[in-house]
Amino acid sequence: MKFDIEATDSRSSARAGVLHTDHGDIHTPIFMPVGTVGSVKAVHMHEVKDDIGAEIILGNTYHLYLRPGVDVLKSAGGLHRFNSWNRPILTDSGGFQVFSLTHRRKMSEEGVVFRSHIDGSKHLFSPERVMDIERAIGADIMMAFDECTPGDADYRYAKESLALTERWLDRCFKRFNETEPLYGHSQSLFPIVQGCVYPDLRRQAAEKVAEYGADGNAIGGLSVGEPTEAMYDMIEVVNEVLPKDKPRYLMGVGTPANILEGIERGVDMFDCIMPTRNGRNGQLFTWQGTMNMRNAKWANDHSPLDPQGTSFVDHTYSRAYVRHLMVSQEILALQIASIHNLAFYLDLVRTARQHIIQGDFTQWKASVLPALSQRL
Ligand code: PRF
């Protein structure tokens, strides 16, 4: 998996690149819509591709393993065949989902024993198991199995947790190197930097991760309850150490402002449930700020949903109509909000990329940032 850097910003660490995969090119910085169980909730694949312009989507090992399960995925010929998405896919390892099952899991050196959120059945995720499952799913990018350390962990906990993640990482690479892709396209394994909010742990973790010489590297354990400034500081600490010539992926982040701050600090890839989940709750993101579509203030606003929006829903439907659909709990409301928000997130990173190439990213970012977090 080759990564070419096309342009670097002279005033910040921002860069524009192209990541080449067997399922096509990814232009970075990129936002990756989340498709937890193999579907981007409420959105058809042709909309994800053509209206939203996504170049890669996410799947979750935890969910796909429980349902439909490895046997169905294997007999389908992998997730790309199963869900009819023929562009790149990245699978998260379950290192986040399993740990959010606080009362339903037990951790040990071997791995995590957890109970299914679906039927309560008992399962073990170990680094080896997770690598085998990610091989069976067949994503272009597989994530290592880690412990996502909570943002409020004390130093001692964070240090022990990081040590476990590092031992697991070694086992992940060992299993990954002993096994082959199942479906004829190549797969890359990205390691994940943990270390909570402690600069020395983060630095050490990034040095360790860099030693594997992976095709790309991820930053985990952020946006998990720590102050926003601490998150930005940790991104800076880690990106000083991670190789500059490989893509960097900030996991599960975040708001439009978080994404621009991440890009400025040298992050290339992002994913977050925010555009889809918040969209289903009625929150729309725009260049002018966020709109709560359940709000009565839109009841008689017959103007287009978002005049600056890039997707067809923005010009097809009015604010008043979308507000009516939201209040009436119509399924179409969820579809419209999801398409709008994902198209906005893709427009955000695409526009950032253009400005990195043009050489005025920093000025452009300063000019758009204040409006992004306003409430309309
Ligand atoms: N690890 C994994 N997935 C993740 C995270 C992590 O730390 C996060 C943290 N923001 C989101 N998704 N494996």
Side-chain angles (χ1 to χ4, degrees):
M1 191 172 284
K2 213 163 134 281
F3 184 55
D4 291 320
I5 294 179
E6 272 182 21
T8 49
D9 185 42
S10 58
R11 291 190 184 78
S12 75
S13 303
R15 33 313 164 79
V18 184
L19 181 59
H20 306 277
T21 79
D22 287 352
H23 284 99
D25 289 349
I26 301 162
H27 297 82
T28 64
I30 190 71
F31 179 79
M32 308 182 279
V34 176
T36 302
V37 304
S39 90
V40 177
K41 289 191 199 304
V43 188
H44 286 286
M45 287 308 185
H46 76 83
E47 294 166 330
V48 178
K49 183 162 156 274
D50 302 327
D51 300 325
I52 292 163
E55 296 187 322
I56 171 170
I57 64 171
L58 236 77
N60 276 119
T61 302
Y62 167 81
H63 294 86
L64 291 165
Y65 158 80
L66 290 177
R67 243 184 354 210
V70 165
D71 291 346
V72 173
L73 288 164
K74 276 189 180 165
S75 69
L79 183 59
H80 291 89
R81 289 255 180 95
F82 188 58
N83 71 359
S84 302
W85 173 259
N86 57 16
R87 288 186 179 190
I89 298 177
L90 177 150
T91 38
D92 196 359
S93 56
F96 186 64
Q97 286 72 34
V98 165
F99 286 101
S100 55
L101 305 168
T102 322
H103 304 294
R104 292 167 166 250
R105 61 161 164 91
K106 193 159 185 270
M107 238 171 75
S108 67
E109 187 65 32
E110 175 58 13
V112 184
V113 173
F114 61 93
R115 285 195 179 274
S116 158
H117 71 284
I118 300 165
D119 61 6
S121 55
K122 225 172 166 180
H123 305 264
L124 167 71
F125 265 13
S126 64
E128 293 79 14
R129 282 286 283 140
V130 169
M131 290 302 99
D132 293 350
I133 299 166
E134 291 194 83
R135 285 289 195 200
I137 297 170
D140 303 84
I141 300 173
M142 304 170 30
M143 298 309 300
F145 188 55
D146 59 332
E147 182 189 4
C148 176
T149 313
D152 61 357
D154 63 27
Y155 186 83
R156 203 182 140 152
Y157 183 94
K159 191 173 175 176
E160 283 171 16
S161 164
L162 173 59
L164 180 66
T165 287
E166 290 179 341
R167 292 193 297 276
W168 284 358
L169 180 59
D170 226 58
R171 287 165 57 190
C172 284
F173 268 103
K174 183 163 182 288
R175 184 61 147 235
F176 177 76
N177 290 326
E178 286 166 359
T179 53
E180 294 283 333
L182 300 178
Y183 311 112
H185 61 267
S186 62
Q187 296 183 283
S188 296
L189 174 61
F190 283 20
I192 303 170
V193 174
Q194 292 288 343
C196 201
V197 293
Y198 305 106
D200 63 318
L201 296 184
R202 285 281 175 185
R203 217 168 281 123
Q204 177 211 316
E207 282 164 4
K208 182 92 198 264
V209 152
E211 284 173 15
Y212 289 91
D215 290 338
N217 301 290
I219 310 172
L222 292 176
S223 201
V224 287
E226 79 287 2
T228 307
E229 275 312 313
M231 166 166 84
Y232 296 151
D233 290 347
M234 292 307 108
I235 299 171
E236 283 177 27
V237 166
V238 169
N239 281 352
E240 252 171 51
V241 179
L242 288 182
K244 294 206 172 1
D245 59 347
K246 296 289 163 61
R248 302 170 178 138
Y249 164 30
L250 178 58
M251 306 190 76
V253 176
T255 64
N258 293 158
I259 288 179
L260 295 187
E261 298 291 349
I263 292 173
E264 183 168 47
R265 290 165 176 78
V267 176
D268 307 293
M269 302 164 71
F270 302 85
D271 80 283
C272 192
I273 54 166
M274 216 177 242
T276 37
R277 180 174 293 173
N278 293 25
R280 294 195 301 276
N281 290 325
Q283 185 182 36
L284 297 195
F285 296 92
T286 78
W287 290 104
Q288 263 67 57
T290 58
M291 303 196 284
N292 181 351
M293 296 316 294
R294 313 188 82 86
N295 202 313
K297 76 183 277 192
W298 310 116
N300 288 295
D301 185 340
H302 301 286
S303 63
L305 187 58
D306 179 7
Q308 283 188 68
T310 58
S311 81
F312 76 94
V313 297
D314 294 311
H315 308 281
T316 307
Y317 303 113
S318 70
R319 294 168 174 181
Y321 180 61
V322 174
R323 191 254 169 188
H324 159 67
L325 295 177
M326 277 286 170
V327 171
S328 311
Q329 301 192 2
E330 282 293 305
I331 292 171
L332 185 58
L334 314 184
Q335 297 177 282
I336 292 170
S338 301
I339 292 174
H340 163 84
N341 277 349
L342 288 175
F344 172 73
Y345 266 65
L346 266 299
D347 190 32
L348 180 75
V349 293
R350 234 181 353 249
T351 309
R353 187 174 198 278
Q354 280 161 11
H355 286 283
I356 296 168
I357 292 169
Q358 271 175 45
D360 63 351
F361 171 78
T362 315
Q363 301 93 302
W364 169 79
K365 184 205 146 208
S367 74
V368 296
L369 199 61
L372 289 173
S373 30
Q374 269 180 48
R375 279 187 201 178
L376 300 176

